[in-house]
Amino acid sequence: SDSHFPVPISPSHVDYSLHYPHFFPPADQVNCSKKIQFADIGCGFGGLLISLSTLFPEVLMIGMELRDKVTEYVKERILALRVSNPGQYQNISVVRTNSMKYIPNYFENGQLTKMFFLFPDPHFKEKNHRRRVISPHLLDEYAYVLGVGGIIYTITDVEELGEWMRSCLENHPMFEALTKEELEADPVVKLLSSATEEGQKVARNGGQTFQAVFRRIVPTS
Ligand code: SAM
């Protein structure tokens, strides 16, 4: 249950020196004003973070994962990469948490530039839709932590969930879809179906995927 993992009482209580010691050496903490900009929600085994790490080496990123053992695995994986590639993979980390409850404890208003929801659990039954990580209510929270211009990336192999995520985003006043040209120009879009362990499994089985990529906007009244 939630009582088994600590939750920071506010974003200023997130210990950056623990997650990114290369950027926040203990004695130097106050001098670094970097903040986490990318969040991979339900990051699983961490494949996306690892791909993004070298693509955006100066951007701090975090994976949020509910399962304890999976989180520990990702921690070990990142530490091993840091050791075998000196100076690299210092910008990624992972935290065990329930993202449906604690996003505002981790991020300030407007702090994030990208959020990822890759192959989230589908929760098929109608009565379980409230457990979906994209919902009208949770989009309010994501709109709060994303800066204007920030992007939400979603992908799934479950058509019904894909339609659900797209329609939640389309109906939310603070998000607009990226155009076809924008999607093609964004190097991150290519990673959605290939970088994570779940995406690779779907690709191996020849499964179809459904993506929705939307930008945080200022609503027109
Ligand atoms: N994104 C990864 C990928 O594409 O390989 C993992 C996909 S997996 C199907 C969904 C992940 O979301 C699981 O690892 C699960 O533990 C995690 N998860 C589910 N609910 C969560 C929550 N409320 N907070 C954080 N993680 C959650």
Side-chain angles (χ1 to χ4, degrees):
S1 83
D2 291 354
S3 58
H4 296 305
F5 55 83
V7 176
I9 58 169
S10 86
S12 63
H13 291 80
V14 178
D15 188 345
Y16 275 61
S17 65
L18 216 68
H19 288 287
Y20 313 101
H22 175 85
F23 289 94
F24 296 82
D28 215 18
Q29 244 187 83
V30 282
N31 293 332
C32 188
S33 58
K34 258 186 188 310
K35 289 192 177 149
I36 295 168
Q37 287 187 47
F38 295 179
D40 183 7
I41 310 301
C43 67
F45 296 100
L48 178 76
L49 290 168
I50 288 163
S51 294
L52 289 173
S53 175
T54 46
L55 206 55
F56 301 91
E58 291 302 312
V59 175
L60 301 185
M61 326 178 181
I62 200 146
M64 300 186 130
E65 173 52 53
L66 190 55
R67 287 181 291 170
D68 189 23
K69 287 208 170 115
V70 175
T71 312
E72 288 307 311
Y73 168 85
V74 177
K75 268 188 206 164
E76 293 295 323
R77 196 175 172 187
I78 294 171
L79 287 178
L81 281 167
R82 287 179 181 176
V83 170
S84 53
N85 303 273
Q88 285 186 286
Y89 301 102
Q90 300 291 337
N91 58 332
I92 54 175
S93 190
V94 66
V95 71
R96 182 183 176 211
T97 199
N98 183 344
S99 69
M100 295 179 77
K101 288 188 173 175
Y102 299 120
I103 291 266
N105 294 66
Y106 281 88
F107 312 115
E108 290 167 8
N109 185 8
Q111 176 177 334
L112 296 179
T113 57
K114 295 187 191 300
M115 293 184 88
F116 297 93
F117 299 84
L118 274 45
F119 301 94
D121 298 326
H123 299 296
F124 287 106
K125 291 185 188 143
E126 177 99 38
K127 72 171 168 49
N128 288 334
H129 285 181
R130 63 192 169 80
R131 298 208 188 132
R132 287 180 165 171
V133 284
I134 298 283
S135 69
H137 153 70
L138 285 169
L139 282 180
D140 293 344
E141 264 184 25
Y142 306 154
Y144 175 82
V145 294
L146 274 168
V148 172
I151 300 180
I152 281 198
Y153 299 81
T154 74
I155 189 168
T156 176
D157 58 328
V158 178
E159 185 167 10
E160 182 210 324
L161 177 65
E163 280 167 12
W164 162 274
M165 294 197 289
R166 173 168 292 279
S167 85
C168 289
L169 282 157
E170 274 172 356
N171 291 325
H172 196 287
M174 292 172 114
F175 291 98
E176 82 179 3
L178 266 65
T179 63
K180 197 166 163 282
E181 293 72 31
E182 287 169 335
L183 291 172
E184 276 164 8
D186 184 341
V188 171
V189 170
K190 294 169 192 61
L191 296 177
L192 302 182
S193 55
S194 64
T196 68
E197 288 63 25
E198 198 61 33
Q200 287 160 9
K201 195 162 91 187
V202 171
R204 269 199 306 277
N205 297 333
Q208 228 188 319
T209 56
F210 308 90
Q211 64 180 41
V213 181
F214 278 66
R215 181 187 300 106
R216 159 80 157 86
I217 54 166
V218 180
T220 45
S221 48

